[in-house]
Amino acid sequence: MRAYERNSERADAFVTAFIYDIPWADYVNRPEEFAKITKQDVMAVANKYLNNNYVQVYKRTDKNAASLKVEKPSITPVPVNREAQSAYYSDFMAKGPSELSPVFVDYKTDIKEAKLKNDIPLLYTKNNENGLFQMYYILDMGSDNDPKLGMAVNYLKFLGNDKYTAEELKKEFYKLGTSFNVSASGDQVYVSLSGLDENFEPALALFESVLQNPKADQKALDDMVQGMLKARNDAKLNKGVILNQALVNYAKYGPKNPFTSVLSEKELKAVKPQELVNLIKSIPTYEHRVLYYGPRETDKLVATLNAGHIVPAKLKPVPTEKVYAELDIKQPMVYWVDYNMVQAELMFLTKADAFNKAMVPTIRLYNQYFGAGMSSIVFQELRESKALAYSAYSSYSTAAKKDRSNYIMSYIGTQSDKLPEAMAGMQELLTNMPLADQNFELAKASLRNSISSERITKSSILFDYERAKRLGLDYDIRKDVYESANSLTFDQLQAFQKKFVSGQPQAILVIGSKDRLNFKELEKYGKVKQLSLEEVFGY
């Protein structure tokens, strides 16, 4: 049922039925046929076919054995017949595609709002497709408030309760065709339940019992801590994490930032199971809201949740959000981390203005034209035209919250010996954006087409609303982008670039080998400061 919510899976089902010549009515009836198969049927098949009639294959290795050389075979060219067209192809292409119209989310009609006991907000979107549901408890507090909270949320996945072991719990959820998940970010906690709505009541009872009565498990905690420590060590070997997370957070906020605010190894190993269990039990005691996407009607859902969602008589307010102050990038700086590789990777980071919804259409078009994808100016100039980069992009990234800053992030991955030309090339584009008429018209058309073909449906409607609220919006901002895209001119785009991008002070983030980087070249762009992995990771 979940797979067939996606068009790709639906199309794949058509193809599979066609290939195997299975009548469509029989193909879609397979779940009912599967339900008739008994345990005895499976055992009979196994006993009939899976006997001592197998082939066993061994792979033997010998480091001293001479390797065999295989001569490269000649390749016979295959005629491409570019001009050949079948009658079917010609008829099909002559029809042409119909123009798509955009569909925007209307939060007032697509989402119903209700109140549960203790004034817990309920946001609800109806599932008219099938019998599946998704439900979320969301708290506006996270690991920024308490690093152990994120740890506790992950710990819950490995615990049983007062009635079942962790393994037995998984089986009980499985029997009901449901599953639960938990996750935490810096400022939010998500606890979710999903599956067959026909089993919503027993699944909810099981779900609530997990939150109310988690059973502490020292071994599970020890294993989780070891996994966390291994993941941390692996992260220090990952170029993407070093550049895009560790260095970017350091440049935005300084040494104390959301990325480095984690428990030390000593603190991790000192955490007691009961500490985390107490944190898990506290989750439903804080103010939260419930999001639901499913087939049942609102009044029935409210009655079920009021009866089954266990909360105290008075909910505690969530603690004040911990906000990391964004640094002003006033002077050009170059931060670099030593990493043994032939290439060099750079990120040009500029702090821009705070989020402003009026700028969103221009920003979306600017990104589409200038820095996003293989048809962008940045990619074509630096990679295709000048061969200075393995990859390159530039993005004017809008903030996730209305009181936060936008940032300009421009990336280039290049060979170390091409560092001077690559940096100069990126700076030139950020300073003087060239006009390419065809690319500009293509960018406008692509932006409108992407919005026309995009559909925000199902539970995504609820989370799109959540994102909009964080930006102070009460409507689908894509509507502004779609309606403005055709009327925006290159002069407007260029004025935007001159005002907000060109000549702005940058923090340039670099990872590369100290033996290969050209430090004299880096010094041209600002004071160079080396950072250790311990400094940027916080551990």
Side-chain angles (χ1 to χ4, degrees):
M1 292 172 70
R2 183 174 292 154
Y4 287 166
E5 290 180 332
R6 300 189 294 272
N7 286 334
S8 59
E9 297 287 348
R10 292 167 176 168
D12 185 65
F14 292 146
V15 173
T16 302
F18 175 79
I19 290 173
Y20 290 106
D21 196 22
I22 303 174
W24 183 245
D26 294 343
Y27 189 88
V28 297
N29 197 46
R30 289 185 309 158
E32 286 72 19
E33 293 299 317
F34 291 152
K36 298 175 184 177
I37 299 172
T38 65
K39 178 180 179 180
Q40 287 69 30
D41 293 332
V42 175
M43 291 172 63
V45 170
N47 288 329
K48 181 178 180 179
Y49 296 107
L50 304 181
N51 297 305
N52 293 324
N53 55 351
Y54 58 84
V55 174
Q56 189 164 335
V57 180
Y58 293 94
K59 177 183 178 181
R60 302 193 186 280
T61 58
D62 185 352
K63 295 181 180 179
N64 298 319
S67 59
L68 297 176
K69 298 289 185 181
V70 178
E71 294 297 327
K72 180 181 178 182
S74 59
I75 299 175
T76 304
V78 177
V80 292
N81 297 329
R82 292 189 178 92
E83 305 304 321
Q85 295 183 0
S86 68
Y88 175 81
Y89 173 85
S90 299
D91 292 342
F92 185 83
M93 294 304 293
K95 295 178 181 179
S98 58
E99 185 175 347
L100 288 172
S101 298
V103 177
F104 301 111
V105 180
D106 186 336
Y107 300 137
K108 294 180 180 178
T109 59
D110 294 335
I111 298 174
K112 294 181 180 179
E113 297 193 36
K115 290 283 188 181
L116 302 176
K117 58 187 178 183
N118 295 359
D119 283 334
I120 298 173
L122 170 66
L123 301 177
Y124 166 90
T125 293
K126 183 74 178 291
N127 177 3
N128 295 310
E129 285 191 21
N130 55 36
L132 298 180
F133 78 92
Q134 297 174 42
M135 184 186 69
Y136 302 84
Y137 299 161
I138 300 180
L139 285 72
D140 289 322
M141 57 186 286
S143 55
D144 286 346
N145 299 103
D146 183 354
K148 291 181 183 178
L149 180 58
M151 193 176 176
V153 165
N154 289 325
Y155 186 46
L156 181 58
K157 301 174 186 177
F158 306 103
L159 301 183
N161 62 4
D162 55 348
K163 187 176 180 182
Y164 301 107
T165 65
E167 190 63 28
E168 288 170 341
L169 264 178
K170 292 178 183 177
K171 292 179 180 179
E172 291 301 313
F173 278 110
Y174 185 81
K175 290 175 186 177
L176 296 169
T178 58
S179 60
F180 83 92
N181 193 26
V182 285
S183 62
S185 64
D187 58 359
Q188 285 188 322
V189 166
Y190 292 81
V191 186
S192 66
L193 178 68
S194 62
L196 292 170
D197 196 77
E198 64 189 64
N199 293 333
F200 183 72
E201 283 81 359
L204 178 63
L206 189 62
F207 181 58
E208 288 285 337
S209 74
V210 175
L211 292 176
Q212 295 294 323
N213 303 296
K215 187 175 180 181
D217 186 326
Q218 182 65 55
K219 185 178 184 307
L221 177 57
D222 293 341
D223 291 344
M224 188 179 79
V225 169
Q226 289 304 312
M228 294 174 67
L229 294 175
K230 183 182 183 303
R232 289 184 180 185
N233 290 330
D234 291 346
K236 287 185 175 181
L237 303 175
N238 189 315
K239 294 187 296 181
V241 175
I242 296 171
L243 180 64
N244 298 313
Q245 297 182 49
L247 273 172
V248 165
N249 272 275
Y250 188 97
K252 283 184 176 181
Y253 305 103
K256 297 294 183 181
N257 60 66
F259 187 77
T260 60
S261 295
V262 295
L263 297 173
S264 67
E265 180 176 349
K266 182 179 180 181
E267 289 172 326
L268 278 177
K269 292 181 176 179
V271 173
K272 302 300 181 185
Q274 195 59 44
E275 289 182 79
L276 301 185
V277 164
N278 292 339
L279 282 171
I280 292 168
K281 289 183 176 181
S282 74
I283 289 175
T285 68
Y286 284 97
E287 292 175 348
H288 58 279
R289 57 193 173 279
V290 179
L291 274 56
Y292 172 89
Y293 166 73
R296 60 181 58 204
E297 298 300 331
T298 311
D299 54 351
K300 184 179 179 182
L301 175 65
V302 169
T304 302
L305 286 173
N306 279 338
H309 184 28
I310 303 172
V311 293
K314 184 174 178 58
L315 295 172
K316 296 181 289 188
V318 294
T320 304
E321 180 185 1
K322 182 177 180 179
V323 178
Y324 291 89
E326 297 171 324
L327 300 178
D328 290 327
I329 304 175
K330 296 181 178 180
Q331 299 297 325
M333 285 289 298
V334 178
Y335 300 106
W336 78 279
V337 170
D338 186 23
Y339 192 94
N340 185 23
M341 62 181 184
V342 176
Q343 301 84 15
E345 297 191 26
L346 304 90
M347 182 75 74
F348 300 77
L349 183 73
T350 298
K351 182 182 178 183
D353 286 6
F355 175 80
N356 180 353
K357 71 175 185 178
M359 292 172 59
V360 171
T362 306
I363 291 171
R364 287 284 303 273
L365 181 57
Y366 173 79
N367 287 338
Q368 187 75 35
Y369 171 73
F370 183 67
M374 297 178 69
S375 63
S376 68
I377 295 298
V378 166
F379 189 88
Q380 290 188 346
E381 285 287 324
L382 297 180
R383 177 181 164 86
E384 301 299 317
S385 176
K386 299 178 180 178
L388 292 175
Y390 296 106
S391 182
Y393 66 82
S394 181
S395 173
Y396 192 104
S397 303
T398 53
K401 291 186 178 181
K402 62 181 179 180
D403 55 346
R404 307 293 169 83
S405 298
N406 301 324
Y407 281 87
I408 303 158
M409 303 176 71
S410 305
Y411 165 85
I412 187 166
T414 185
Q415 291 175 222
S416 296
D417 58 356
K418 292 184 178 181
L419 183 69
E421 296 85 354
M423 295 187 72
M426 180 65 83
Q427 292 287 26
E428 172 60 26
L429 292 177
L430 291 172
T431 303
N432 299 300
M433 180 175 63
L435 168 62
D437 290 320
Q438 187 175 356
N439 289 52
F440 182 65
E441 294 304 319
L442 178 62
K444 291 201 291 185
S446 296
L447 184 57
R448 283 174 59 88
N449 288 341
S450 66
I451 295 175
S452 295
S453 61
E454 184 181 28
R455 295 293 182 267
I456 297 175
T457 60
K458 307 179 181 68
S459 61
S460 297
I461 293 172
L462 297 167
F463 288 100
D464 192 72
Y465 179 54
E466 286 280 307
R467 285 189 290 270
K469 285 196 301 181
R470 289 160 75 90
L471 290 169
L473 302 172
D474 58 3
Y475 68 100
D476 188 346
I477 191 68
R478 296 178 305 149
K479 186 175 182 180
D480 292 352
V481 178
Y482 184 83
E483 293 175 348
S484 302
N486 268 352
S487 61
L488 286 169
T489 66
F490 182 77
D491 287 341
Q492 290 174 295
L493 214 61
Q494 197 168 47
F496 168 84
Q497 203 255 3
K498 290 290 184 185
K499 181 177 181 180
F500 296 106
V501 181
S502 179
Q504 300 299 316
Q506 299 170 329
I508 301 179
L509 319 176
V510 184
I511 60 171
S513 171
K514 63 181 179 182
D515 299 323
R516 296 177 181 272
L517 291 176
N518 187 331
F519 290 98
K520 288 186 178 180
E521 190 66 29
L522 292 177
E523 288 171 355
K524 295 179 182 179
Y525 295 91
K527 182 181 178 182
V528 178
K529 180 178 181 180
Q530 181 180 4
L531 296 171
S532 67
L533 289 175
E534 288 69 26
E535 286 177 294
V536 293
F537 277 83
Y539 52 83

